[in-house]
Amino acid sequence: MSEFIPVAAPALIGNEKTYVMECLESSWISSNGKYIELFEKGFADFLGLKYAISCCNGTVALHLALLAMGVGQDDEVIVPSLTYVSSANAVLYCGAKPVFVDSDDRTWNLNPDLLEALITDRTRGIIVVHLYGHPVDMDPVLALARKHDLFVIEDAAEAHGAEYKGRKVGTMGDIATFSFYGNKIISTGEGGMVCTQDEELAARVRQLKGQGQDPKRRFWFPMVGYNYRMTNIEAAIGLGQLEKIDWHIARRREVASWYRAGLHEFLQVEFSPEMPWARSVFWLSSIVLKDGIDRDRVMNSMLQKGVETRPFFYPMHSLPVYQSSTEGKQFPVADRLARQGMNLPSSALLTQPQVDYVIDTLRQALAGPI
Ligand SMILES: *Cc1c(COP(=O)(O)O)cnc(C)c1O
């Protein structure tokens, strides 16, 4: 096989093109139009929630969620260190401080046992991140939040349709955010969604994303808001994707099952977890290499054979912006995952021979000098 196998590629296999053409032909190309409403309604129904509010990406979805919860200057919000940078940056946008928590070896998500020790007078809430499509162990998080009167924001950017004990992620906290970036479970190109069951929070998010305009009085802006709107064209793509979301999830799970079976005998690798209480959507099929194996050398060797992989995210506590606030603190699990972890090709379009080929290149890389 000489083709290039990328980590991610959107699968536009439904009505995306028809709906986009309809936007162009009707000239409804901006942020009003029927696809916005259909996509929001459809996404809320998919989650079984009352409110889904579209916005222009998953990062601003987090910003809107934090603003709606009233986060401001000098507040603290607990965030996993091992996440995509948006989860932490959105806290800074509000003038607040992210306080980082280490990961759990078993789930690769935040470790709920470490949360309570991080709570101070200033702690307002917790952002949980369902990393790589696997749900966070929510019950202990929700119990702790109740005990200390904290909010819970679910960053579900990577986990559309994943389930925790039969409950969909995005339905358990106070408010949840999703991303529809090109490589996510479903995509709108760029796009995001804020979801909640709370009418008041939903109204605040709507107002904030539309320049702060009073919903009852046009051009009256009682607060400073933002233009964080999604376009009708993006929503048209999103609706086409959403109609096929079960297919997208089933394909990701099938790809993961091929990897799991094929990697079973590899003693040097740990494959993406799926806890007994979890239904992961395997946004990315991932592996963590045993300590001592040079991950970057493995990635390079696979790339030379046409297989793209990605390293895990750098933990937030290692980034220049956040280093000073985390000095002296230890994040051994996040550090190990970040050092030894890599994401394998995981697109919904992958075939079994392609997955077998990826596994082959990994086998060869591990057999080489390490
Ligand atoms: C992708 C992602 C985001 C941000 O979404 P964008 O649409 O790219 O802004 C936020 N959090 C996590 C965990 C993500 O993976």
Side-chain angles (χ1 to χ4, degrees):
M1 220 177 296
S2 58
E3 60 183 325
F4 180 74
I5 305 179
V7 165
L12 305 167
I13 50 107
N15 288 321
E16 294 87 349
K17 190 173 177 185
T18 312
Y19 295 161
V20 168
M21 289 309 289
E22 205 273 335
C23 295
L24 297 176
E25 280 154 12
S26 67
S27 83
W28 287 92
I29 59 171
S30 199
S31 54
N32 286 309
K34 70 175 186 188
Y35 290 111
I36 295 281
E37 281 165 39
L38 288 170
F39 185 42
E40 289 182 342
K41 171 82 172 55
F43 202 77
D45 288 348
F46 168 71
L47 291 180
L49 284 180
K50 283 203 194 119
Y51 306 101
I53 299 126
S54 61
C55 57
C56 50
N57 59 57
T59 305
V60 306
L62 282 162
H63 189 198
L64 289 168
L66 287 160
L67 290 171
M69 298 308 313
V71 172
Q73 210 68 42
D74 299 329
D75 288 340
E76 292 179 2
V77 179
I78 299 174
V79 181
S81 185
L82 190 64
T83 182
Y84 185 60
V85 70
S86 307
S87 326
N89 283 354
V91 176
L92 279 198
Y93 299 165
C94 300
K97 180 184 165 199
V99 173
F100 297 110
V101 59
D102 199 9
S103 311
D104 185 327
D105 267 319
R106 293 162 305 168
T107 63
W108 301 354
N109 281 319
L110 66 77
N111 184 343
D113 296 341
L114 304 177
L115 289 172
E116 193 153 30
L118 299 173
I119 295 171
T120 71
D121 298 347
R122 293 181 168 179
T123 309
R124 296 286 322 284
I126 304 163
I127 297 181
V128 298
V129 182
H130 306 291
L131 198 69
Y132 301 142
H134 191 285
V136 168
D137 186 6
M138 289 299 289
D139 280 343
V141 177
L142 295 170
L144 193 77
R146 242 184 327 265
K147 179 175 161 196
H148 293 273
D149 196 21
L150 306 177
F151 66 72
V152 175
I153 295 177
E154 290 181 72
D155 180 350
E158 307 179 353
H160 320 54
E163 289 176 17
Y164 173 72
K165 299 184 181 175
R167 286 177 283 169
K168 280 214 173 79
V169 306
T171 65
M172 294 173 279
D174 297 282
I175 195 161
T177 64
F178 290 82
S179 164
F180 305 112
Y181 181 65
N183 64 11
K184 301 291 159 94
I185 296 283
I186 60 169
S187 179
T188 59
E190 294 274 5
M193 198 75 88
V194 185
C195 302
T196 180
Q197 195 70 328
D198 185 311
E199 186 179 356
E200 212 173 295
L201 286 178
R204 225 173 294 157
V205 169
R206 271 202 193 288
Q207 187 167 5
L208 283 162
K209 84 160 211 194
Q211 305 282 28
Q213 180 170 261
D214 187 328
K216 297 200 191 74
R217 196 170 166 196
R218 207 164 170 215
F219 300 124
W220 183 253
F221 303 96
M223 58 152 84
V224 177
Y226 303 82
N227 176 359
Y228 280 173
R229 297 183 298 255
M230 176 183 275
T231 68
N232 199 43
I233 298 176
E234 289 165 331
I237 298 172
L239 183 65
Q241 293 263 287
L242 183 61
E243 288 169 349
K244 298 272 186 207
I245 192 164
D246 292 340
W247 177 90
H248 288 275
I249 292 168
R251 291 291 306 126
R252 300 256 182 187
R253 287 184 56 83
E254 187 174 29
V255 166
S257 75
W258 292 333
Y259 277 124
R260 193 192 293 110
L263 293 172
H264 196 66
E265 68 203 73
F266 285 53
L267 300 176
Q268 313 98 311
V269 311
E270 180 191 343
F271 185 65
S272 297
E274 186 168 39
M275 299 298 278
W277 39 258
R279 187 171 186 274
S280 174
V281 288
F282 296 97
W283 172 53
L284 296 176
S285 279
S286 308
I287 53 174
V288 174
L289 301 172
K290 268 230 170 95
D291 276 336
I293 302 177
D294 181 342
R295 191 252 335 253
D296 294 350
R297 199 201 57 78
V298 170
M299 291 178 57
N300 267 325
S301 158
M302 293 174 73
L303 187 60
Q304 256 140 50
K305 300 187 174 92
V307 175
E308 185 192 29
T309 57
R310 276 188 1 192
F312 274 20
F313 301 127
Y314 287 104
M316 295 303 106
H317 69 267
S318 70
L319 298 181
V321 181
Y322 297 113
Q323 259 167 12
S324 66
S325 65
T326 55
E327 248 165 67
K329 295 190 183 159
Q330 301 294 316
F331 302 85
V333 179
D335 284 335
R336 180 182 71 85
L337 293 171
R339 189 179 62 244
Q340 297 303 100
M342 53 191 270
N343 309 120
L344 303 171
S346 307
S347 140
L349 297 169
L350 283 177
T351 62
Q352 192 160 15
Q354 285 177 313
V355 168
D356 288 344
Y357 179 74
V358 173
I359 293 171
D360 245 18
T361 63
L362 176 63
R363 179 180 291 113
Q364 288 164 28
L366 290 171
I370 49 179

